[in-house]
Amino acid sequence: MKTTLKIEGMSCQHCVMHVKKAIGALPGVSGAEVNIGRAEVDYDESKTGKEDLKKAVEGAGYKVVG
Ligand SMILES: [Cu+2]
């Protein structure tokens, strides 16, 4: 399953690393292409849901807007 998250609050490469790490720590995530303002995530939906991705990003201090 592939999904794209639109993220607010990211401003630099540090934010990119932070988001990538938060998403990558979730079970079932096999890849994440993260740029400022957006993340494309490849994940196994039997292990992780979009809500979990959202929570991980928000837990890292950013806001998911779509
Ligand atoms: Cu930053």
Side-chain angles (χ1 to χ4, degrees):
M1 176 80 181
K2 225 175 195 170
T3 194
T4 301
L5 303 172
K6 278 168 72 183
I7 304 166
E8 261 176 17
M10 296 175 74
S11 59
C12 68
Q13 220 43 41
H14 174 260
C15 300
V16 169
M17 293 301 296
H18 203 183
V19 168
K20 201 174 164 102
K21 198 172 162 190
I23 292 172
L26 292 171
V29 172
S30 52
E33 178 84 30
V34 183
N35 290 291
I36 291 170
R38 102 194 229 120
E40 273 175 56
V41 189
D42 225 323
Y43 65 102
D44 178 344
E45 56 193 323
S46 68
K47 293 186 179 145
T48 288
K50 189 160 181 177
E51 260 325 287
D52 300 311
L53 299 174
K54 194 175 162 182
K55 271 187 210 143
V57 172
E58 297 193 335
Y62 307 95
K63 191 163 191 253
V64 177
V65 292

